[in-house]
Amino acid sequence: MHVKLSNFRIRARNLRLTVRLGLGFGALVVLMAAVVALAVLQFRELAWHGEQMMKHDLQRMLQVQEIDQHVQGHGSAMARLLTSPRAEREAIYPVVDAEYAALDRLIANLSGETADVVTAATLADVALRRDRYRDVFIDIVTEIEAGDLLRASALFSGLGQQAMQSLLSASSALLAREQATLALRQQEVQAQINRSEWMMIGLALGALALSVGLAWRTTASVARPLAMVQAAAGRIASGDYAARVELESADELGRVAQAMNTMALAVATREAEIAAVAYADRLTGLPNRAMLQRWATEGNWRQVTVLLMDVARLRTVNEVLGFGAGDALLVQVAERLLAALAASGPRDKAPVLARLAGGDFAIVAQDMDRMAAETLRDRLDVAVTAAMACDGHAVDLQLAYGLADAASAAAQACDAGPLIDLALQRAELAVGEAKRRKLGWAWHVEVDAAARARQLSLLTDLRQAAVAGQLEMWLQPKQCLRSGRLLGMEGLVRWRHPVRGFVSPAEFIPFAERTGHIGVVTTAMLDAALQTLAGWSRDHAELSIAVNVSALDVRDAGFPARVAEQARHWRAPLNRLRLEITESTVMEDPESVLLVLHELRALGVQLSIDDFGTGYSSLAYLQRLPIDELKIDRSFVAGADRQPQAQALLRTIIELGHTLKMSVTAEGIEQPAELRLLTDLGCDVGQGYLISRPMAPDAARQYLQSIAAVTTEVTFA
Ligand code: C2E
Ligand code: MG
Ligand code: MG
C-alpha cells in the first residue's frame, strides 16, 4: 500500500489488512507449535536414553557380575566334590550343574543382545575360557568318579584353578567393558541434554524475535496509516477541507481513507451551501447583513459610510399585484442599483450593494466622504426612479434614503457593537427621519451626549412622574367646521417636572416609545380622560376625548382589556373615548394591530388615524381597519391657502377619507384663511391654535362653561 497524505508518505504490502494480520499471527502460531513439538521430542529422546540405561546397560552389568558369582559357586561346589564321600557327591552334582547352567545362560544372554564389536569380542573370549574351564572340570569329575582323588585334586588346584582364574579375569574385563559402555552412554545423554537446552533456548529466542518483528510490522502497517487518517481528520475538523488522504490500496485502511476524502468533500460542499444561504439574499443573490458584518470584521474596517434605501411602494405592489410582482420589482431594483454602482468603476474599497430585510437595500463603502456619498445617491436616484415594468403594469418607484457614517472609535465609545451595525442603525434612523420630514433623503444627525443624558434621566423620572401626579392632561378643542359646534377635545400630555418645569411631549414621548416606557404615559392619560368623561356625563355627555396611543399599546393583546377595566373603574362611557394612532404605527405592521383595533372598536371605542400623510399608507389596509377618523397632519395645512399644489393634496385626502366613510379632521389650523379653505374643501372637523391652544384642566373647565353660557344665551335670546 502506498499512502500519501499531502506531505506524509507511507508504504505497506499490497495485501488486505485481515490477510496480513492472519498471516502474521498464523506464522507465530506455527512457530510456537514447532517449539512445543521439538521440546516434546527432546523430552522423549531423553526418556528413551534413561530407559536404555536403566533397562539394558545396568542389567547387563548385573549379569556380568552374576557370571563371577556363578564361576565361584561352581568352583566351591567342585571343591566340595573333591572332599566329599561318594554318597554325598550325588547331592552336590546338581549344584555343580545348576551353577554351570546359570553361567552358560548368562553368557548366552549377553551374547544375544550386544551389537558392540569390542564387547562381542570380549564376550567371545569369556565363552572360550568358559569352554576351557568346562573341559578341565569334566576331566576332574572323570578322575573323581574313577576314584583317583589325588589326580583329581592335582588337576583342580593346577589346571582347574588356572582355567577358573582365566574365566574370572575375562569376566572382569567384560565388566570393565560394560562399565565403560555405561559411562559412554551417560556422557551421550548429558551431551544430548546440553544440545536440547541450547536448541530450546535458540528456538524460544527465534520465536520471540519473530513475534516482536511481526508485532512491529503489523502495528506499523496499521498504526501509521491510521495516524495519517487521524491527522487528516484533525485538519478537516479545523476547517481545512482541502486535506486529502491519497492512497494506492484497496485494503480496509484504503477504504477508510477514501471514505474520509468523500466526507471532506461533502462537508466542504455543504459548508459552501450553508454559507450561500447564510450570507446571501435568496431573491437577489446580493450579500446580506451577515455578509456585511463578516466583511467588516474580517477586513477590520475603521470607517464606513452607509446609504440605506427603502423601497417606498413595495407594500402596495405586494398587495395589489401579489408577492411575485413585489419580488420581481425588488430584483429589478437590485439590477438597476448594481448597474449604477458598476458605472462608478472598479477600485479598491469600492462600495458594495447588499439587501437587508423587506424593501431595504444598503450600499456600504469604506472611506467615502459625504460629498461622494451624496453624488452617488443622486446617480442611484436617477437610475432607479424611472418607471419599471412589473407584471404588465408600469410602477413608478421611489426610494427613501438614509445616509450615515460611523468610525470604529465611535462604535467602541458608545459600546454599540460592531461598526457596521452602528452605521446601519444610524442609517435606519435617517431613513425614518427622511420619511417623517417628507424629504427624499437625510443624513443621520447624532443626538449629542448631553441631550442623551437628559433623556435618560428623564426616563428615570418618568416612572415616578405618573405616581406623583406630574403628568397632566391638557385639552385642545375639536370643532365641527360646518356648524362651529364643539365636538370634543384631544388630550395632550403635559409633564410638570419639579425641576425642569414643563417638559414638551416631543422631548420624552419618542424616547419613551423607543425604550418601551410609553405605557406609563398611556395609562395616566387614559385615567385622566376616563375620569373627565365620567365628570362630563351630566353636562357634556355628547363630548368625546381623544387620547394618543403608541405602537407598543396597540400591539399588546392585553391592551383592550385594560382600557375596559379602567373605564369600569371610573364608570366612564367608552363610546366617548377616542384613541389616536399615528399612521406610521398602523402601517409598520398592520396585521398585528388589526385584532387589537377590532377589539377596541367592539368595546365602543372610536379610533382615529393621526398625522395622516406622513406614513406610507396602504389603501388596502385602510379599508380593513375599523377606523372612523382621519387626522390630516398639520404640515399639509400650514400655508395651504397660499399653495395650489397643497390645496390639491388636501382635496385628495379629504375625498379619500370620505370615500372610506371616515370623518376628516385637520390639525394645526392657525390662520382664518386656512380654516376657510378647509371648510370650503369639505373637511369635517378642525383643530388648532386658531380655535384654541391646548388648555390646562382648569382652563378647559372654564372654556366649557363659557361655551355653555354662549349656547344658553343663544338659546334664550
Ligand atoms: P398630535 O397627536 O398630532 O397632537 C397635536 C400636536 O399639535 C400637539 O402638540 C398640539 O399642541 C399641536 N398643535 C395643535 N394645534 C396646533 C397649531 O395650530 N399649530 C401648531 N404648530 N401646533 C399645534 P404636542 O402637545 O406638543 O404633542 C406633540 C405630539 O406628541 C402629539 O402629536 C402626539 O403625537 C404626541 N403626544 C402628545 N400627548 C401624547 C400622549 O398622551 N400619548 C402619546 N402617545 N403621544 C402624545
Ligand atoms: Mg393626536
Ligand atoms: Mg397629529
Side-chain angles (χ1 to χ4, degrees):
M1 181 171 67
H2 176 83
V3 176
K4 190 171 88 185
L5 165 70
S6 304
N7 41 357
F8 309 106
R9 266 168 185 278
I10 68 164
R11 284 177 181 284
R13 259 172 279 116
N14 201 2
L15 281 175
R16 280 168 54 109
L17 188 64
T18 38
V19 175
R20 278 207 316 273
L21 284 174
L23 282 177
F25 287 107
L28 206 62
V29 167
V30 167
L31 204 74
M32 286 309 191
V35 170
V36 171
L38 264 167
V40 169
L41 280 177
Q42 290 298 316
F43 181 76
R44 286 182 65 169
E45 200 172 332
L46 282 175
W48 181 79
H49 276 294
E51 197 181 274
Q52 286 299 304
M53 249 163 59
M54 294 298 289
K55 261 190 177 172
H56 186 254
D57 301 346
L58 275 175
Q59 229 167 28
R60 276 178 71 89
M61 240 167 64
L62 287 174
Q63 283 177 342
V64 173
Q65 280 170 351
E66 254 184 275
I67 291 177
D68 271 16
Q69 281 172 21
H70 289 292
V71 169
Q72 276 162 12
H74 189 267
S76 60
M78 286 292 291
R80 271 193 284 136
L81 270 181
L82 280 173
T83 52
S84 302
R86 174 172 291 275
E88 288 176 18
R89 283 204 300 264
E90 291 303 320
I92 295 169
Y93 277 122
V95 176
V96 171
D97 289 343
E99 290 290 359
Y100 184 79
L103 186 67
D104 228 21
R105 194 187 66 246
L106 283 170
I107 290 170
N109 271 356
L110 286 166
S111 312
E113 285 175 19
T114 184
D116 177 31
V117 185
V118 181
T119 310
T122 317
L123 254 172
D125 188 37
V126 171
L128 187 73
R129 295 188 192 206
R130 178 208 57 196
D131 291 345
R132 264 195 229 132
Y133 174 70
R134 185 197 56 206
D135 293 344
V136 174
F137 96 73
I138 288 173
D139 287 348
I140 294 169
V141 170
T142 310
E143 290 304 331
I144 291 170
E145 289 305 316
D148 190 353
L149 285 176
L150 276 174
R151 201 172 147 71
S153 294
L155 258 177
F156 181 72
S157 47
L159 280 172
Q161 284 301 319
Q162 266 176 26
M164 189 153 79
Q165 283 311 317
S166 157
L167 181 57
L168 282 173
S169 76
S171 109
S172 293
L174 185 62
L175 185 65
R177 179 70 208 154
E178 288 299 337
Q179 278 171 340
T181 308
L182 186 65
L184 203 71
R185 174 95 66 187
Q186 268 178 336
Q187 270 173 17
E188 257 177 36
V189 170
Q190 191 57 50
Q192 179 82 24
I193 287 172
N194 289 347
R195 265 201 315 280
S196 300
E197 218 171 75
W198 281 113
M199 191 185 277
M200 300 289 275
I201 289 172
L203 276 172
L205 283 177
L208 194 71
L210 190 72
S211 31
V212 167
L214 270 172
W216 183 81
R217 286 235 43 166
T218 313
T219 311
S221 73
V222 175
R224 289 178 64 195
L226 277 181
M228 302 303 129
V229 171
Q230 189 190 13
R235 283 171 57 180
I236 292 165
S238 65
D240 177 9
Y241 304 121
R244 289 283 181 280
V245 192
E246 283 172 38
L247 48 104
E248 297 148 20
S249 158
D251 71 1
E252 293 85 340
L253 288 170
R255 289 204 295 276
V256 167
Q258 250 164 17
M260 192 90 158
N261 290 342
T262 315
M263 186 192 76
L265 195 72
V267 171
T269 315
R270 216 149 301 154
E271 194 170 90
E273 281 169 11
I274 290 168
V277 173
Y279 293 111
D281 168 46
R282 285 229 154 183
L283 180 64
T284 58
L286 289 174
N288 60 11
R289 185 185 283 260
M291 189 74 245
L292 290 179
Q293 283 162 341
R294 192 168 153 180
W295 279 337
T297 313
E298 287 173 1
N300 197 17
W301 291 5
R302 305 242 150 259
Q303 193 280 338
V304 67
T305 303
V306 171
L307 273 94
L308 195 77
M309 293 154 279
D310 181 85
V311 179
R313 288 192 200 113
L314 180 65
R315 193 195 300 277
T316 317
V317 171
N318 278 338
E319 277 165 15
V320 180
L321 302 176
F323 282 99
D327 285 353
L329 187 79
L330 284 172
V331 171
Q332 281 189 62
V333 173
E335 281 166 0
R336 285 193 185 178
L337 287 173
L338 269 181
L341 259 192
S344 66
R347 65 181 173 86
D348 189 30
K349 295 185 179 176
V352 283
L353 177 66
R355 162 124 191 263
L356 310 180
D360 282 357
F361 289 90
I363 285 176
V364 177
Q366 289 184 79
D367 304 330
M368 179 185 260
D369 61 32
R370 290 195 160 203
M371 275 275 278
E374 285 175 23
T375 315
L376 177 63
R377 191 212 71 87
D378 291 344
R379 208 175 50 240
L380 294 173
D381 208 40
V382 172
V384 178
T385 36
M388 279 182 193
C390 185
D391 205 17
H393 301 263
V395 176
D396 219 359
L397 203 83
Q398 265 184 357
L399 296 185
Y401 298 84
L403 284 74
D405 45 21
S408 51
Q412 279 157 17
C414 63
D415 199 18
L419 171 70
I420 194 79
D421 285 356
L422 176 67
L424 286 170
Q425 186 193 335
R426 286 176 170 180
E428 268 159 30
L429 290 173
V431 169
E433 193 60 21
K435 287 194 211 165
R436 243 188 319 280
R437 290 166 47 201
K438 288 193 244 5
L439 306 163
W441 58 283
W443 274 100
H444 169 256
V445 183
E446 185 63 53
V447 180
D448 64 33
R452 205 197 308 273
R454 194 170 134 82
Q455 281 178 335
L456 269 175
S457 81
L458 267 180
L459 199 66
T460 322
D461 297 349
L462 182 61
R463 290 190 212 117
Q464 285 120 37
V467 185
Q470 292 167 16
L471 298 182
E472 291 179 4
M473 182 182 67
W474 285 37
L475 291 162
Q476 187 179 33
K478 288 166 81 175
Q479 200 178 60
C480 172
L481 287 182
R482 276 187 301 278
S483 65
R485 205 161 51 88
L486 177 68
L487 297 172
M489 307 256 194
E490 176 173 5
L492 295 159
V493 68
R494 293 292 179 266
W495 183 356
R496 207 189 286 267
H497 195 281
V499 181
R500 292 178 186 158
F502 272 113
V503 184
S504 154
E507 219 178 315
F508 68 93
I509 293 285
F511 192 60
E513 279 179 340
R514 272 210 304 278
T515 53
H517 291 79
I518 193 68
V520 174
V521 179
T522 307
T523 309
M525 287 303 102
L526 277 172
D527 263 342
L530 290 164
Q531 191 182 7
T532 309
L533 279 174
W536 285 356
S537 59
R538 203 168 59 90
D539 298 329
H540 311 289
E542 75 289 355
L543 297 183
S544 65
I545 297 183
V547 170
N548 294 283
V549 293
S550 80
L552 284 178
D553 299 318
V554 289
R555 282 192 198 135
D556 177 2
F559 182 62
R562 285 204 299 277
V563 173
E565 175 56 37
Q566 274 174 284
R568 259 198 302 281
H569 179 258
W570 293 112
R571 294 175 199 280
L574 268 178
N575 61 345
R576 292 291 156 201
L577 179 70
R578 179 176 282 283
L579 297 180
E580 293 188 7
I581 305 128
T582 61
E583 185 192 15
S584 49
T585 297
V586 178
M587 290 308 150
E588 254 167 36
D589 193 359
E591 288 298 342
S592 74
V593 305
L594 210 60
L595 197 72
V596 171
L597 294 188
H598 275 287
E599 279 183 36
L600 287 168
R601 192 73 202 91
L603 289 172
V605 177
Q606 301 166 48
L607 300 169
S608 307
I609 286 206
D610 204 353
D611 301 345
F612 188 78
T614 53
Y616 294 85
S617 264
S618 149
L619 279 182
Y621 275 112
L622 273 183
Q623 269 177 325
R624 288 172 58 195
L625 293 171
I627 279 171
D628 55 14
E629 184 187 42
L630 271 191
K631 292 187 79 180
I632 306 174
D633 190 65
R634 68 167 180 270
S635 58
F636 292 87
V637 174
D641 55 306
R642 286 168 276 123
Q643 296 162 6
Q645 251 190 326
Q647 289 168 23
L649 242 148
L650 278 175
R651 180 179 289 114
T652 313
I653 296 175
I654 292 166
E655 279 171 9
L656 172 83
H658 289 159
T659 313
L660 293 170
K661 310 245 178 327
M662 293 179 187
S663 156
V664 182
T665 301
E667 304 181 307
I669 307 174
E670 293 183 357
Q671 303 299 328
E674 291 164 1
L675 184 79
R676 267 197 304 278
L677 171 73
L678 286 158
T679 313
D680 290 348
L681 289 174
C683 185
D684 307 291
V685 183
Q687 184 183 347
Y689 292 170
L690 182 70
I691 298 158
S692 169
R693 286 191 171 252
M695 296 170 283
D698 283 347
R701 220 169 290 130
Q702 282 173 14
Y703 178 85
L704 282 176
Q705 275 168 9
S706 71
I707 285 187
V710 170
T711 321
T712 322
E713 266 170 37
V714 172
T715 320
F716 293 104

